[in-house]
Each structure stands twice: as structure tokens, then as C-alpha cells.
Amino acid sequence: MSLIIMAIASGFSYGFVHTRLVAETPLETAQNLADNSELLLAGIAGWIVIISTDLIVAFSLCTFFISTNRKISMITAGIRLIYTVFLILAVYQLAAIRFIEQPTVFANDITELLGFFEQIWSFGLILFGLHLMGLGYLSIKSVHVPKFIGYLLYGYSGSC
């Protein structure tokens, strides 16, 4: 269930909100943010849902795979938690935009914060790929998970 909630929140926060607010130019983006501050707040709320579910998923997967390989399970969960810290730092950049009182005056500052968001999150996604590699390994070794799931996770981790 957490994965479904996370997917919906992600589709909303990045797929809808981010693409709707971020425009070609800094001034257009700033104007979009000024005109749609509630949408930005809703997007940030979606990211908070993602962060919360990331924590739940990290602990749940660790618990599920602990009997398969305790060490790899703990490392994989740790990597997921570090990814979540990077996500928190990235979302903080979005939250900082919310406190800019005159968005159109500080359009370049907003663009910089959005750039920081993208950079921090992108680095976090590299960690997420490592997490998927760990899950792939654990899935292949587990007697409770079909092996093809593990191979799919290996394949997907290479595309992050």
C-alpha cells in the first residue's frame, strides 16, 4: 500500500506540480509560483508523503529480507535511508521558495533553489539505484520472492 501511495504522491508532486510551475524562463517560473502558491504547498506536502513512505518502505524491506541476508538487508536499508536524507535536503530547497515574498523580484534566486533541488535529488537517485541493486541481490537469494523480480531490480538499478 505504501508503494501505491508513494507512486501517486510522486506523480502528483513531480509529474504534475513541478512540470506545471517550472517554465522556460526564471521570470515565468516566478510568476507561476506567485500565481499558484497553494499548488507549490500541495507539491511539498506530496514530497513529505513520499519521504514518510520511504521510511516505512526502508524498514519494511529490511525486516522482510533480514532472514535472507542480515548484513546486505541492513546495508540496503541504510542506503535507502541516506537517499531519504538527500530527498529531505532537496525538498527543503522547494520549501525555501515558499518563503520568498516577492517571487518575481527574486526570480533568479528561485531558479537557483530549483536547480539545487534537481542536483540534490539527482545525486540521491544514484543512491536509490544502489539500493535497488541490494534489493535485486536479496530478491534473487530469497526463497519468498520470484528470482525474475531480482533480475528486474538489477536491470532497473542500472537505468537510474
Side-chain angles (χ1 to χ4, degrees):
M1 185 62 157
S2 292
L3 294 175
I4 294 170
I5 293 168
M6 189 182 312
I8 292 168
S10 178
F12 174 74
S13 293
Y14 193 75
F16 178 73
V17 173
H18 193 79
T19 58
R20 189 131 191 233
L21 295 178
V22 178
E24 299 259 339
T25 68
L27 191 56
E28 285 177 282
T29 299
Q31 190 61 53
N32 287 346
L33 289 163
D35 295 341
N36 299 290
S37 61
E38 299 84 15
L39 188 59
L40 176 62
L41 280 176
I44 292 169
W47 285 110
I48 291 169
V49 168
I50 294 166
I51 290 165
S52 301
T53 54
D54 262 331
L55 296 171
I56 293 167
V57 168
F59 287 111
S60 298
L61 288 171
C62 184
T63 302
F64 181 79
F65 284 115
I66 204 95
S67 63
T68 302
N69 185 318
R70 181 178 180 80
K71 184 177 179 182
I72 300 296
S73 181
M74 298 290 281
I75 291 170
T76 301
I79 292 170
R80 177 84 180 236
L81 292 174
I82 294 169
Y83 157 76
T84 305
V85 169
F86 275 89
L87 182 57
I88 290 167
L89 293 172
V91 172
Y92 178 78
Q93 308 306 307
L94 297 178
I97 292 170
R98 179 69 177 105
F99 294 104
I100 295 176
E101 290 186 22
Q102 297 174 322
T104 54
V105 175
F106 297 101
N108 290 333
D109 294 336
I110 290 170
T111 301
E112 189 174 283
L113 288 169
L114 287 169
F116 290 153
F117 166 79
E118 294 282 344
Q119 290 172 354
I120 295 167
W121 189 38
S122 293
F123 182 77
L125 289 175
I126 293 169
L127 295 172
F128 191 80
L130 291 173
H131 158 76
L132 291 178
M133 290 174 69
L135 282 182
Y137 174 83
L138 291 167
S139 296
I140 290 168
K141 296 295 181 183
S142 174
V143 295
H144 305 292
V145 178
K147 295 208 182 310
F148 81 92
I149 300 280
Y151 292 114
L152 287 175
L153 287 166
Y154 270 137
Y156 183 74
S157 66
S159 67
C160 283

